[in-house]
Amino acid sequence: MLIAISRHWARYRLVYRALFFSVLLLGIYLGMRPAPPPVPFKFSMIDSVYHAGGLFVCTLLSYPAFPRWGRWWRAGFMFAVGLAVEYVQSFHPTRSPDIHDIYANTVGVGIGMLMVVLLGAAIDRAWAKNRN
């Protein structure tokens, strides 16, 4: 099954790249717009959930979209995206950067990288097992 998944990723790589850049641009837009994103329900840490969730999804989508990226490059790029959004927010009069958002970004990238590493190792084992 894992081999079928990796073949699927190879076949639809352009679709995954489009999804990756769509989610990335949506996150950048929401981070740089004048007003914070709408809150669907009352929860004090919803902004952190947005940050962690967005970078988690971007990190996961980066694996099938760009499988040749190294682990450190992938993690560094995704972390830099989160830092860039917080940096730009410091120049906007109605937004402010927050260290808790950077922590949430790090958690999202970290969990996403853990999933990418585990999934990559499972696919590598499946390919090796299939060769023998």
Side-chain angles (χ1 to χ4, degrees):
M1 180 172 143
L2 290 173
I3 294 172
I5 290 172
S6 64
R7 287 183 180 149
H8 171 80
W9 287 345
R11 186 175 189 177
Y12 295 104
R13 180 139 310 130
L14 289 177
V15 173
Y16 284 108
R17 285 184 181 176
L19 281 171
F20 171 76
F21 284 116
S22 297
V23 171
L24 184 68
L25 291 175
L26 176 67
I28 290 172
Y29 167 74
L30 290 174
M32 295 180 189
R33 64 184 257 174
V39 179
F41 53 88
K42 199 71 169 161
F43 177 60
S44 63
M45 298 295 289
I46 193 70
D47 189 44
S48 296
V49 172
Y50 285 158
H51 281 267
L55 283 170
F56 170 74
V57 170
C58 275
T59 304
L60 283 183
L61 283 174
S62 72
Y63 184 67
F66 302 99
R68 295 180 190 248
W69 282 4
R71 292 178 185 157
W72 290 108
W73 167 249
R74 187 181 316 275
F77 177 74
M78 297 313 302
F79 184 72
V81 166
L83 282 179
V85 168
E86 292 302 313
Y87 180 71
V88 169
Q89 283 182 357
S90 69
F91 296 111
H92 205 285
T94 60
R95 302 292 296 265
S96 62
D98 188 9
I99 191 71
H100 295 99
D101 291 344
I102 294 173
Y103 294 153
N105 294 344
T106 305
V107 167
V109 171
I111 293 172
M113 284 303 299
L114 180 65
M115 300 270 304
V116 163
V117 167
L118 292 176
L119 187 59
I123 288 174
D124 289 344
R125 278 193 310 269
W127 275 106
K129 187 177 180 182
N130 193 30
R131 284 187 203 132
N132 294 334

